[in-house]
Amino acid sequence: MLALFLNIILLFNIQNQDSIPDFVKEYHEVSTEKEELSFIKKYKKSTEVNVLAFVVSLQMKQAKYKTFPWSKLKVFNKEKKKLNKLIESYPTNVCLRYVRLVIQENTPKFLGYNKNIKEDKLFLKSILDKEEDSDYLDKFIIKNTSL
């Protein structure tokens, strides 16, 4: 009986893993600048908003690798504008809200990019309780944000 139960759990976990889009898996696996740039190159021409959320996130992160503070700020602000514009166009997109929350919770306060934390947390908390197309993101939202 225990073996049957464990097989059912294993099958459920495998099916759950298969439902996670490749771009989400890859995004959460990148750990170096080279891998980030590879991800950006692979997906930057996508027209899918969910994919673009992750691309813009990694493009913002490229500011980290710039030498001069003004270069860092220029890259960060350029990509921040892209992300905010996407959210203005798609305010109920879970991927966009997730990415913005992760960025804002991890960005130094002096940059002033923390004004949407409460809003994004409320939005994401509300979707965690619902069954919907973005359920594959739930575990990432819980793991990578303060929710």
Short mmCIF file of all heavy atoms in Angstrom, two decimals, residues 23-73:
data_model
loop_
_atom_site.label_atom_id
_atom_site.label_comp_id
_atom_site.label_asym_id
_atom_site.label_seq_id
_atom_site.Cartn_x
_atom_site.Cartn_y
_atom_site.Cartn_z
N PHE A 23 11.24 27.66 -20.58
CA PHE A 23 11.85 28.95 -20.28
C PHE A 23 11.83 29.24 -18.77
O PHE A 23 12.75 29.88 -18.26
CB PHE A 23 11.21 30.10 -21.07
CG PHE A 23 9.79 30.41 -20.71
CD1 PHE A 23 9.49 31.36 -19.74
CD2 PHE A 23 8.74 29.78 -21.36
CE1 PHE A 23 8.18 31.66 -19.41
CE2 PHE A 23 7.43 30.07 -21.05
CZ PHE A 23 7.15 31.02 -20.06
N VAL A 24 10.83 28.75 -18.06
CA VAL A 24 10.77 28.95 -16.61
C VAL A 24 11.80 28.07 -15.92
O VAL A 24 12.53 28.52 -15.03
CB VAL A 24 9.35 28.66 -16.06
CG1 VAL A 24 9.32 28.72 -14.54
CG2 VAL A 24 8.34 29.63 -16.66
N LYS A 25 11.91 26.83 -16.36
CA LYS A 25 12.93 25.93 -15.79
C LYS A 25 14.33 26.52 -16.02
O LYS A 25 15.14 26.58 -15.10
CB LYS A 25 12.86 24.56 -16.45
CG LYS A 25 11.66 23.72 -16.07
CD LYS A 25 11.74 22.39 -16.82
CE LYS A 25 10.43 21.68 -16.83
NZ LYS A 25 10.46 20.47 -17.68
N GLU A 26 14.58 26.92 -17.25
CA GLU A 26 15.91 27.44 -17.60
C GLU A 26 16.23 28.71 -16.82
O GLU A 26 17.35 28.88 -16.34
CB GLU A 26 15.98 27.73 -19.10
CG GLU A 26 15.97 26.48 -19.96
CD GLU A 26 15.88 26.78 -21.44
OE1 GLU A 26 16.48 27.78 -21.89
OE2 GLU A 26 15.20 26.02 -22.15
N TYR A 27 15.26 29.59 -16.69
CA TYR A 27 15.45 30.84 -15.95
C TYR A 27 15.89 30.56 -14.51
O TYR A 27 16.80 31.20 -14.00
CB TYR A 27 14.15 31.65 -15.95
CG TYR A 27 14.20 32.89 -15.09
CD1 TYR A 27 14.73 34.08 -15.57
CD2 TYR A 27 13.71 32.88 -13.78
CE1 TYR A 27 14.77 35.22 -14.79
CE2 TYR A 27 13.74 34.01 -12.99
CZ TYR A 27 14.27 35.18 -13.50
OH TYR A 27 14.31 36.31 -12.71
N HIS A 28 15.24 29.61 -13.88
CA HIS A 28 15.53 29.32 -12.48
C HIS A 28 16.80 28.48 -12.30
O HIS A 28 17.23 28.27 -11.17
CB HIS A 28 14.32 28.66 -11.82
CG HIS A 28 13.21 29.64 -11.60
ND1 HIS A 28 12.20 29.81 -12.51
CD2 HIS A 28 12.97 30.52 -10.60
CE1 HIS A 28 11.38 30.75 -12.07
NE2 HIS A 28 11.82 31.20 -10.92
N GLU A 29 17.38 28.04 -13.40
CA GLU A 29 18.62 27.27 -13.33
C GLU A 29 19.86 28.10 -13.65
O GLU A 29 20.97 27.68 -13.36
CB GLU A 29 18.54 26.06 -14.28
CG GLU A 29 17.54 25.02 -13.82
CD GLU A 29 17.29 23.93 -14.87
OE1 GLU A 29 17.84 24.01 -15.99
OE2 GLU A 29 16.51 23.02 -14.55
N VAL A 30 19.68 29.27 -14.27
CA VAL A 30 20.86 30.08 -14.64
C VAL A 30 21.57 30.56 -13.38
O VAL A 30 20.93 30.91 -12.39
CB VAL A 30 20.52 31.28 -15.55
CG1 VAL A 30 19.92 30.84 -16.86
CG2 VAL A 30 19.64 32.28 -14.86
N SER A 31 22.89 30.54 -13.44
CA SER A 31 23.65 30.95 -12.25
C SER A 31 24.89 31.77 -12.59
O SER A 31 25.58 32.23 -11.69
CB SER A 31 24.05 29.72 -11.43
OG SER A 31 24.85 28.86 -12.21
N THR A 32 25.17 31.94 -13.86
CA THR A 32 26.35 32.71 -14.26
C THR A 32 25.95 33.75 -15.30
O THR A 32 24.90 33.64 -15.95
CB THR A 32 27.44 31.81 -14.87
OG1 THR A 32 26.95 31.28 -16.12
CG2 THR A 32 27.84 30.68 -13.94
N GLU A 33 26.80 34.73 -15.47
CA GLU A 33 26.56 35.75 -16.49
C GLU A 33 26.45 35.11 -17.87
O GLU A 33 25.58 35.47 -18.67
CB GLU A 33 27.67 36.79 -16.47
CG GLU A 33 27.49 37.88 -17.52
CD GLU A 33 28.64 38.87 -17.57
OE1 GLU A 33 29.70 38.61 -16.95
OE2 GLU A 33 28.49 39.89 -18.25
N LYS A 34 27.31 34.15 -18.15
CA LYS A 34 27.29 33.48 -19.45
C LYS A 34 25.94 32.78 -19.69
O LYS A 34 25.37 32.87 -20.78
CB LYS A 34 28.44 32.46 -19.53
CG LYS A 34 28.57 31.77 -20.85
CD LYS A 34 29.76 30.82 -20.86
CE LYS A 34 29.84 30.11 -22.20
NZ LYS A 34 30.97 29.19 -22.26
N GLU A 35 25.44 32.10 -18.67
CA GLU A 35 24.15 31.43 -18.80
C GLU A 35 23.01 32.44 -18.95
O GLU A 35 22.06 32.21 -19.70
CB GLU A 35 23.88 30.54 -17.58
CG GLU A 35 24.78 29.33 -17.53
CD GLU A 35 24.68 28.56 -16.21
OE1 GLU A 35 24.12 29.08 -15.23
OE2 GLU A 35 25.17 27.41 -16.17
N GLU A 36 23.12 33.56 -18.25
CA GLU A 36 22.11 34.61 -18.38
C GLU A 36 22.08 35.16 -19.81
O GLU A 36 21.01 35.31 -20.40
CB GLU A 36 22.39 35.75 -17.40
CG GLU A 36 22.20 35.36 -15.95
CD GLU A 36 22.77 36.39 -14.99
OE1 GLU A 36 23.25 37.46 -15.43
OE2 GLU A 36 22.75 36.10 -13.77
N LEU A 37 23.24 35.45 -20.34
CA LEU A 37 23.33 35.98 -21.71
C LEU A 37 22.82 34.96 -22.73
O LEU A 37 22.17 35.33 -23.72
CB LEU A 37 24.76 36.40 -22.03
CG LEU A 37 25.26 37.62 -21.25
CD1 LEU A 37 26.77 37.82 -21.47
CD2 LEU A 37 24.47 38.86 -21.61
N SER A 38 23.10 33.70 -22.49
CA SER A 38 22.61 32.65 -23.37
C SER A 38 21.07 32.59 -23.34
O SER A 38 20.43 32.46 -24.38
CB SER A 38 23.20 31.31 -22.95
OG SER A 38 22.71 30.27 -23.74
N PHE A 39 20.50 32.68 -22.15
CA PHE A 39 19.04 32.70 -22.01
C PHE A 39 18.45 33.90 -22.74
O PHE A 39 17.49 33.76 -23.50
CB PHE A 39 18.66 32.75 -20.52
CG PHE A 39 17.18 32.76 -20.26
CD1 PHE A 39 16.52 31.57 -20.00
CD2 PHE A 39 16.45 33.93 -20.27
CE1 PHE A 39 15.15 31.56 -19.76
CE2 PHE A 39 15.09 33.94 -20.03
CZ PHE A 39 14.44 32.75 -19.78
N ILE A 40 19.04 35.07 -22.54
CA ILE A 40 18.55 36.30 -23.19
C ILE A 40 18.59 36.13 -24.71
O ILE A 40 17.62 36.43 -25.40
CB ILE A 40 19.38 37.52 -22.75
CG1 ILE A 40 19.12 37.83 -21.27
CG2 ILE A 40 19.09 38.73 -23.62
CD1 ILE A 40 20.11 38.81 -20.64
N LYS A 41 19.71 35.65 -25.22
CA LYS A 41 19.87 35.47 -26.67
C LYS A 41 18.83 34.49 -27.22
O LYS A 41 18.22 34.73 -28.27
CB LYS A 41 21.28 34.97 -26.99
CG LYS A 41 21.56 34.82 -28.46
CD LYS A 41 22.99 34.37 -28.72
CE LYS A 41 23.24 34.24 -30.21
NZ LYS A 41 24.60 33.76 -30.48
N LYS A 42 18.59 33.43 -26.49
CA LYS A 42 17.67 32.39 -26.93
C LYS A 42 16.23 32.89 -27.00
O LYS A 42 15.48 32.55 -27.91
CB LYS A 42 17.76 31.19 -25.99
CG LYS A 42 16.85 30.03 -26.35
CD LYS A 42 17.08 28.86 -25.42
CE LYS A 42 16.20 27.68 -25.77
NZ LYS A 42 16.45 26.53 -24.89
N TYR A 43 15.83 33.73 -26.03
CA TYR A 43 14.42 34.08 -25.89
C TYR A 43 14.07 35.54 -26.19
O TYR A 43 12.89 35.90 -26.18
CB TYR A 43 13.93 33.75 -24.48
CG TYR A 43 13.88 32.27 -24.20
CD1 TYR A 43 14.78 31.67 -23.32
CD2 TYR A 43 12.91 31.46 -24.80
CE1 TYR A 43 14.73 30.30 -23.05
CE2 TYR A 43 12.86 30.10 -24.54
CZ TYR A 43 13.76 29.53 -23.66
OH TYR A 43 13.70 28.19 -23.40
N LYS A 44 15.04 36.39 -26.49
CA LYS A 44 14.74 37.82 -26.60
C LYS A 44 13.82 38.19 -27.75
O LYS A 44 13.17 39.22 -27.73
CB LYS A 44 16.02 38.65 -26.65
CG LYS A 44 16.80 38.56 -27.94
CD LYS A 44 18.04 39.43 -27.87
CE LYS A 44 18.88 39.27 -29.12
NZ LYS A 44 20.09 40.04 -29.03
N LYS A 45 13.74 37.37 -28.75
CA LYS A 45 12.86 37.67 -29.90
C LYS A 45 11.44 37.11 -29.73
O LYS A 45 10.60 37.26 -30.60
CB LYS A 45 13.48 37.15 -31.18
CG LYS A 45 14.77 37.88 -31.55
CD LYS A 45 15.18 37.59 -32.96
CE LYS A 45 16.52 38.13 -33.32
NZ LYS A 45 16.69 39.54 -33.24
N SER A 46 11.20 36.51 -28.59
CA SER A 46 9.88 35.94 -28.33
C SER A 46 8.82 37.05 -28.29
O SER A 46 9.10 38.18 -27.88
CB SER A 46 9.87 35.21 -26.98
OG SER A 46 8.57 34.76 -26.68
N THR A 47 7.63 36.70 -28.72
CA THR A 47 6.52 37.65 -28.63
C THR A 47 5.58 37.28 -27.49
O THR A 47 4.59 37.95 -27.26
CB THR A 47 5.72 37.67 -29.96
OG1 THR A 47 5.28 36.34 -30.26
CG2 THR A 47 6.57 38.20 -31.10
N GLU A 48 5.91 36.23 -26.77
CA GLU A 48 5.10 35.77 -25.65
C GLU A 48 5.46 36.58 -24.39
O GLU A 48 6.61 36.62 -23.97
CB GLU A 48 5.34 34.27 -25.40
CG GLU A 48 4.38 33.69 -24.40
CD GLU A 48 4.62 32.21 -24.19
OE1 GLU A 48 5.12 31.52 -25.12
OE2 GLU A 48 4.31 31.74 -23.09
N VAL A 49 4.47 37.22 -23.81
CA VAL A 49 4.68 38.09 -22.65
C VAL A 49 5.32 37.34 -21.49
O VAL A 49 6.20 37.88 -20.82
CB VAL A 49 3.36 38.76 -22.22
CG1 VAL A 49 3.53 39.58 -20.96
CG2 VAL A 49 2.82 39.62 -23.34
N ASN A 50 4.89 36.12 -21.24
CA ASN A 50 5.47 35.35 -20.13
C ASN A 50 6.96 35.17 -20.31
O ASN A 50 7.73 35.27 -19.35
CB ASN A 50 4.79 33.99 -20.01
CG ASN A 50 3.37 34.08 -19.52
OD1 ASN A 50 2.94 35.10 -19.00
ND2 ASN A 50 2.62 33.01 -19.68
N VAL A 51 7.38 34.91 -21.50
CA VAL A 51 8.81 34.72 -21.79
C VAL A 51 9.55 36.05 -21.62
O VAL A 51 10.61 36.11 -20.99
CB VAL A 51 9.02 34.16 -23.21
CG1 VAL A 51 10.50 34.09 -23.55
CG2 VAL A 51 8.36 32.80 -23.36
N LEU A 52 8.96 37.12 -22.14
CA LEU A 52 9.60 38.43 -22.06
C LEU A 52 9.81 38.88 -20.62
O LEU A 52 10.78 39.57 -20.32
CB LEU A 52 8.79 39.46 -22.84
CG LEU A 52 8.77 39.28 -24.35
CD1 LEU A 52 7.85 40.29 -25.01
CD2 LEU A 52 10.17 39.35 -24.93
N ALA A 53 8.92 38.48 -19.73
CA ALA A 53 9.08 38.83 -18.32
C ALA A 53 10.43 38.36 -17.80
O ALA A 53 11.17 39.10 -17.14
CB ALA A 53 7.96 38.21 -17.49
N PHE A 54 10.79 37.13 -18.12
CA PHE A 54 12.04 36.55 -17.64
C PHE A 54 13.25 37.11 -18.38
O PHE A 54 14.32 37.29 -17.79
CB PHE A 54 11.97 35.03 -17.73
CG PHE A 54 10.94 34.45 -16.81
CD1 PHE A 54 9.69 34.08 -17.29
CD2 PHE A 54 11.19 34.30 -15.46
CE1 PHE A 54 8.73 33.57 -16.43
CE2 PHE A 54 10.24 33.78 -14.60
CZ PHE A 54 9.00 33.42 -15.09
N VAL A 55 13.08 37.41 -19.66
CA VAL A 55 14.17 38.01 -20.44
C VAL A 55 14.51 39.38 -19.86
O VAL A 55 15.69 39.69 -19.60
CB VAL A 55 13.79 38.12 -21.94
CG1 VAL A 55 14.81 38.96 -22.70
CG2 VAL A 55 13.66 36.74 -22.56
N VAL A 56 13.50 40.21 -19.66
CA VAL A 56 13.74 41.56 -19.13
C VAL A 56 14.37 41.49 -17.74
O VAL A 56 15.27 42.27 -17.41
CB VAL A 56 12.43 42.39 -19.12
CG1 VAL A 56 12.62 43.70 -18.38
CG2 VAL A 56 11.96 42.65 -20.54
N SER A 57 13.94 40.54 -16.95
CA SER A 57 14.52 40.36 -15.62
C SER A 57 16.03 40.12 -15.71
O SER A 57 16.82 40.75 -14.98
CB SER A 57 13.85 39.18 -14.92
OG SER A 57 14.55 38.81 -13.76
N LEU A 58 16.43 39.24 -16.59
CA LEU A 58 17.86 38.94 -16.73
C LEU A 58 18.61 40.10 -17.40
O LEU A 58 19.79 40.32 -17.12
CB LEU A 58 18.08 37.64 -17.48
CG LEU A 58 17.70 36.38 -16.70
CD1 LEU A 58 17.92 35.13 -17.54
CD2 LEU A 58 18.48 36.27 -15.40
N GLN A 59 17.92 40.85 -18.25
CA GLN A 59 18.56 42.02 -18.84
C GLN A 59 18.81 43.08 -17.76
O GLN A 59 19.84 43.75 -17.77
CB GLN A 59 17.70 42.59 -19.98
CG GLN A 59 17.75 41.72 -21.22
CD GLN A 59 16.80 42.19 -22.31
OE1 GLN A 59 15.66 42.60 -22.04
NE2 GLN A 59 17.25 42.09 -23.55
N MET A 60 17.87 43.22 -16.83
CA MET A 60 18.08 44.13 -15.70
C MET A 60 19.28 43.69 -14.88
O MET A 60 20.08 44.51 -14.43
CB MET A 60 16.85 44.18 -14.79
CG MET A 60 15.71 45.00 -15.33
SD MET A 60 14.29 44.97 -14.22
CE MET A 60 14.73 46.30 -13.12
N LYS A 61 19.39 42.40 -14.69
CA LYS A 61 20.48 41.86 -13.87
C LYS A 61 21.85 42.12 -14.49
O LYS A 61 22.86 42.13 -13.80
CB LYS A 61 20.27 40.36 -13.65
CG LYS A 61 21.18 39.78 -12.61
CD LYS A 61 20.86 38.34 -12.31
CE LYS A 61 21.86 37.78 -11.31
NZ LYS A 61 21.76 36.35 -11.21
N GLN A 62 21.88 42.37 -15.80
CA GLN A 62 23.16 42.63 -16.46
C GLN A 62 23.83 43.89 -15.93
O GLN A 62 25.04 44.07 -16.06
CB GLN A 62 22.99 42.70 -17.98
CG GLN A 62 22.52 41.40 -18.61
CD GLN A 62 23.31 40.20 -18.14
OE1 GLN A 62 24.50 40.08 -18.38
NE2 GLN A 62 22.64 39.29 -17.44
N ALA A 63 23.05 44.77 -15.28
CA ALA A 63 23.62 45.96 -14.67
C ALA A 63 24.68 45.58 -13.63
O ALA A 63 25.67 46.30 -13.45
CB ALA A 63 22.51 46.79 -14.01
N LYS A 64 24.48 44.46 -13.01
CA LYS A 64 25.41 43.96 -11.97
C LYS A 64 26.83 43.79 -12.51
O LYS A 64 27.80 43.95 -11.78
CB LYS A 64 24.86 42.61 -11.47
CG LYS A 64 25.76 41.81 -10.59
CD LYS A 64 25.07 40.49 -10.24
CE LYS A 64 25.98 39.57 -9.48
NZ LYS A 64 25.31 38.32 -9.11
N TYR A 65 26.96 43.51 -13.80
CA TYR A 65 28.25 43.20 -14.38
C TYR A 65 28.95 44.42 -14.99
O TYR A 65 30.06 44.30 -15.50
CB TYR A 65 28.10 42.11 -15.44
CG TYR A 65 27.41 40.87 -14.90
CD1 TYR A 65 26.14 40.52 -15.34
CD2 TYR A 65 28.02 40.07 -13.94
CE1 TYR A 65 25.50 39.40 -14.84
CE2 TYR A 65 27.38 38.96 -13.42
CZ TYR A 65 26.12 38.63 -13.88
OH TYR A 65 25.49 37.52 -13.37
N LYS A 66 28.30 45.56 -14.95
CA LYS A 66 28.92 46.78 -15.48
C LYS A 66 29.92 47.33 -14.46
O LYS A 66 29.75 47.18 -13.26
CB LYS A 66 27.86 47.84 -15.79
CG LYS A 66 26.82 47.41 -16.82
CD LYS A 66 27.47 47.13 -18.15
CE LYS A 66 26.44 46.66 -19.17
NZ LYS A 66 27.04 46.16 -20.38
N THR A 67 30.94 47.98 -14.97
CA THR A 67 32.01 48.47 -14.10
C THR A 67 31.65 49.79 -13.42
O THR A 67 31.84 49.95 -12.23
CB THR A 67 33.31 48.67 -14.91
OG1 THR A 67 33.63 47.43 -15.55
CG2 THR A 67 34.45 49.09 -14.03
N PHE A 68 31.11 50.71 -14.19
CA PHE A 68 30.87 52.06 -13.67
C PHE A 68 29.44 52.21 -13.16
O PHE A 68 28.50 51.71 -13.79
CB PHE A 68 31.16 53.10 -14.75
CG PHE A 68 32.58 53.05 -15.25
CD1 PHE A 68 32.87 52.54 -16.50
CD2 PHE A 68 33.63 53.48 -14.44
CE1 PHE A 68 34.18 52.47 -16.96
CE2 PHE A 68 34.93 53.42 -14.89
CZ PHE A 68 35.21 52.91 -16.14
N PRO A 69 29.27 52.92 -12.06
CA PRO A 69 27.93 53.09 -11.47
C PRO A 69 26.90 53.65 -12.44
O PRO A 69 25.75 53.21 -12.47
CB PRO A 69 28.16 54.04 -10.30
CG PRO A 69 29.59 53.86 -9.93
CD PRO A 69 30.30 53.54 -11.22
N TRP A 70 27.28 54.64 -13.26
CA TRP A 70 26.32 55.22 -14.20
C TRP A 70 25.93 54.22 -15.28
O TRP A 70 24.80 54.24 -15.75
CB TRP A 70 26.84 56.53 -14.80
CG TRP A 70 28.14 56.39 -15.55
CD1 TRP A 70 28.30 56.03 -16.86
CD2 TRP A 70 29.44 56.58 -15.03
NE1 TRP A 70 29.64 55.98 -17.18
CE2 TRP A 70 30.37 56.32 -16.08
CE3 TRP A 70 29.95 56.94 -13.79
CZ2 TRP A 70 31.74 56.42 -15.91
CZ3 TRP A 70 31.32 57.04 -13.63
CH2 TRP A 70 32.20 56.77 -14.69
N SER A 71 26.84 53.33 -15.64
CA SER A 71 26.51 52.27 -16.61
C SER A 71 25.53 51.29 -16.00
O SER A 71 24.58 50.84 -16.66
CB SER A 71 27.77 51.52 -17.05
OG SER A 71 28.66 52.38 -17.68
N LYS A 72 25.76 50.95 -14.74
CA LYS A 72 24.85 50.05 -14.02
C LYS A 72 23.45 50.65 -13.99
O LYS A 72 22.47 49.97 -14.29
CB LYS A 72 25.33 49.82 -12.59
CG LYS A 72 26.61 49.03 -12.46
CD LYS A 72 27.03 48.97 -11.00
CE LYS A 72 28.34 48.24 -10.81
NZ LYS A 72 28.20 46.82 -10.66
N LEU A 73 23.38 51.92 -13.61
CA LEU A 73 22.10 52.60 -13.49
C LEU A 73 21.39 52.73 -14.83
O LEU A 73 20.17 52.55 -14.92
CB LEU A 73 22.32 53.98 -12.87
CG LEU A 73 21.13 54.64 -12.23
CD1 LEU A 73 20.47 53.75 -11.19
CD2 LEU A 73 21.53 55.98 -11.61
#
